[in-house]
Amino acid sequence: MNNTSQNSQTIAEKLADHFKALAYDTLSDASRTAIKRLLLDYLGVAVSGSQTESGKVAGMFAASTGGRAESTLIGGTERVPAMLAAFANAISSHSVELDDIDVLALFHFSPPVYSAALSTAEQKSASGKELLVSLAAGCEMMERLSKAANPSLRDRGYHTTPTCGTFGATIAAAKMLGLSAEQIVSALGLAGAQSCGLMEMYGPSMQKRFNPGPASRNGVTAASIAQLGFTGAATIFEGERGFLAAFTDQSFPEQLTRDLAQPYRLDIEFKPYSCARPIHNAIDCALEIRGKHSPDLDQIEHIGMARHPDWAHYHQNADPATYHEAQVSLPYSVAVALADGQALFAQYNNARLKEPLLKKLASLVSFSVDESLPRGVSCLMTVKMRGGAEYSAQIDYPKGSIQNPMTDEELRAKFDSLVIPVLGVERAAAIADRVATIEHCGNVRELMSLLQRGQGAGAARGGEKIDA
């Protein structure tokens, strides 16, 4: 505890004391399980994402800058400085739109937090138990700040994953590096100096994939330089020109320190479909109608999509030019779900965007606002057929949500589908086994060495995933 009384402490000082005291034995069983499930999911998504255009460019950038071989480029062949591994791996893990999501569909935990924690864990030869604590701390920090800043932060045009993720990555790295409470305060201040990320990212470019990269790298930077004695502002959250004042019109600072003495509940949701999470409800609607009614797609006259006001005006592009755009297009996602019965990365392929049936179905989607829908991501879909028949479905909790979860078997199947094409069957099994017992791992490098191509038995021979 800092020398000042609890009442006179800043928010950063209270958080620093809290996270400094966090230890493996203080984590609840539920948190340990959630963190390990997300670790498996993150690694699978990052391996697959490393083989995309954006993942490859990020890896090339990290490898081209030189420096100490400290941390693994997931899905690559190089080891690079920890900050650059965090940067590139965060981009890879956000490049196939299959990374985790919070319950409000505002941000992704793993790209900034897990990338920062794993890169610093390798740098310090940390144990699996230390890794789990670091991951739990980073995720908690990120979600607390999102709750304090949203929805205003999002509505003002800031992207929650990088803006809040910088702080999550900072706490994850600070725990891994063993910072004192005073150093953690400084690291949080320096995280605020580097927090960034705009929602002006939708379109044909790779920009959305880029956003978690600086957040993860900046978190490692903030913790590392604070460890060396660089000091930061203790009032970074509530100050007159602090994070909440700068990034929001309305904030809830009490969320940052609410119930610090209680075990933190991490609600992490997983994505079965390769697109933006608020679109998943619409995909589930399409799959329900397809499964129940098998509509003749050529006879569909109109597809009405009622959405909650929180997300009603997003994801409306009906004519995506690249797969990057398609992954944030609700009309295309509904079309491919109706046509294929799934919406995996293979469906978001540049070659498919001009298919006449998909273009026609996407053009039939119209949007409306329905304030009566119970959740921000809720969707009510109505399909009108020639001849007068109508089919409807409403989804409030999409597959992968807390209320409609993916099972361990489904998560493993997702992991295998992403990793086997890149690293092979034996390697995928070895990674999954190591994650399952990560708390008994003496050095996280043992896990990370399995994530490189061309290392050890079972690696795929010349069989990289093809770019979309």
Side-chain angles (χ1 to χ4, degrees):
M1 181 71 67
N2 292 334
N3 291 330
T4 53
S5 70
Q6 182 73 16
N7 290 335
S8 63
Q9 284 184 302
T10 66
I11 290 174
E13 288 168 340
K14 292 176 183 178
L15 289 170
D17 285 338
H18 168 68
F19 287 121
K20 175 61 179 175
L22 194 66
Y24 181 78
D25 291 339
T26 66
L27 295 179
S28 68
D29 290 341
S31 287
R32 293 175 191 171
T33 298
I35 291 297
K36 287 173 65 174
R37 293 181 93 226
L38 183 51
L39 179 57
L40 183 73
D41 193 71
Y42 164 83
L43 293 176
V45 173
V47 167
S48 182
S50 72
Q51 305 306 299
T52 64
E53 299 166 275
S54 49
K56 286 181 177 179
V57 172
M60 289 169 55
F61 170 78
S64 70
T65 58
R68 294 180 180 175
E70 294 175 322
S71 306
T72 298
L73 288 176
I74 295 174
T77 60
E78 307 266 353
R79 296 180 76 244
V80 299
M83 280 179 278
L84 293 172
F87 174 85
N89 291 338
I91 292 175
S92 289
S93 66
H94 195 51
S95 286
V96 290
E97 284 293 345
L98 280 166
D99 40 336
D100 65 276
I101 199 77
D102 73 299
V103 294
L104 298 178
L106 289 167
F107 67 87
H108 307 271
F109 288 99
S110 64
V113 172
Y114 277 56
S115 302
L118 285 166
S119 68
T120 48
E122 274 197 275
Q123 182 188 33
K124 302 302 293 185
S125 298
S127 70
K129 284 186 177 180
E130 291 175 298
L131 175 65
L132 291 177
V133 175
S134 172
L135 296 173
C139 287
E140 178 182 341
M141 177 69 246
M142 189 177 183
E143 186 168 52
R144 284 184 178 277
L145 186 54
S146 176
K147 288 179 178 179
N150 275 308
S152 180
L153 180 137
R154 188 277 310 272
D155 292 343
R156 287 188 63 184
Y158 294 111
H159 188 193
T160 303
T161 297
T163 51
C164 297
T166 301
F167 291 88
T170 295
I171 289 297
K175 283 297 291 181
M176 192 59 68
L177 296 174
L179 267 60
S180 67
E182 290 75 17
Q183 290 171 329
I184 294 174
V185 171
S186 288
L188 287 170
L190 299 171
Q194 302 176 89
S195 183
C196 58
L198 299 175
M199 290 287 281
E200 186 57 38
M201 59 188 181
Y202 297 115
S205 77
M206 300 177 189
Q207 184 154 333
K208 185 176 187 293
R209 287 88 173 91
F210 180 81
N211 276 359
S216 194
R217 177 199 62 205
N218 292 349
V220 176
T221 300
S224 299
I225 199 167
Q227 186 181 39
L228 295 174
F230 208 104
T231 58
T235 54
I236 193 62
F237 295 113
E238 72 272 38
E240 182 182 357
R241 300 172 185 84
F243 180 89
L244 294 176
F247 283 84
T248 73
D249 296 311
Q250 180 184 25
S251 64
F252 311 93
E254 69 278 0
Q255 293 285 355
L256 280 160
T257 55
R258 174 168 289 171
D259 298 327
L260 280 179
Q262 303 301 317
Y264 193 78
R265 174 177 169 176
L266 281 174
D267 286 333
I268 302 169
E269 300 192 342
F270 296 90
K271 293 172 69 174
Y273 312 128
S274 188
C275 61
R277 180 58 162 184
I279 298 174
H280 285 213
N281 293 61
I283 291 173
D284 280 336
C285 287
L287 293 178
E288 181 177 319
I289 290 172
R290 186 181 193 270
K292 287 184 177 180
H293 306 290
S294 301
D296 183 341
L297 302 186
D298 290 323
Q299 297 301 308
I300 294 177
E301 188 172 70
H302 179 255
I303 302 172
M305 188 61 62
R307 302 184 81 189
H308 187 278
D310 282 0
W311 287 105
H313 304 294
Y314 290 81
H315 314 119
Q316 295 190 5
N317 179 10
D319 188 26
T322 69
Y323 80 93
H324 298 290
E325 283 190 306
Q327 288 178 305
V328 289
S329 164
L330 186 150
Y332 176 84
S333 298
V334 165
V336 80
L338 286 170
D340 289 15
Q342 56 188 5
L344 302 174
F345 193 49
Q347 274 69 48
Y348 295 90
N349 186 299
N350 288 337
R352 309 240 14 223
L353 303 185
K354 303 304 180 185
E355 289 184 12
L357 177 60
L358 297 181
K359 288 179 67 68
K360 175 189 173 185
L361 290 172
S363 72
L364 297 177
V365 177
S366 68
F367 294 87
S368 62
V369 180
D370 186 345
E371 295 182 355
S372 71
L373 290 171
R375 301 187 69 234
V377 293
S378 293
C379 287
L380 171 59
M381 177 174 162
T382 303
V383 175
K384 294 184 179 180
M385 308 295 295
R386 292 191 180 94
E390 287 190 7
Y391 310 121
S392 65
Q394 179 175 326
I395 299 294
D396 299 317
Y397 296 99
K399 183 65 176 176
S401 63
I402 300 299
Q403 295 78 8
N404 185 16
M406 293 178 71
T407 65
D408 288 344
E409 292 74 20
E410 288 171 331
L411 279 176
R412 176 60 187 270
K414 173 186 173 182
F415 171 84
D416 285 343
S417 74
L418 296 170
V419 175
I420 289 173
V422 183
L423 298 178
V425 174
E426 293 179 20
R427 186 74 70 80
I431 295 167
D433 289 345
R434 181 66 67 176
V435 169
T437 58
I438 192 65
E439 63 270 32
H440 303 299
C441 179
N443 189 333
V444 172
R445 286 183 180 177
E446 298 169 16
L447 168 64
M448 298 306 292
S449 67
L450 298 171
L451 276 299
Q452 287 188 296
R453 287 186 293 112
Q455 302 293 314
R461 292 178 175 84
E464 291 187 5
K465 189 173 177 69
I466 298 173
D467 290 342

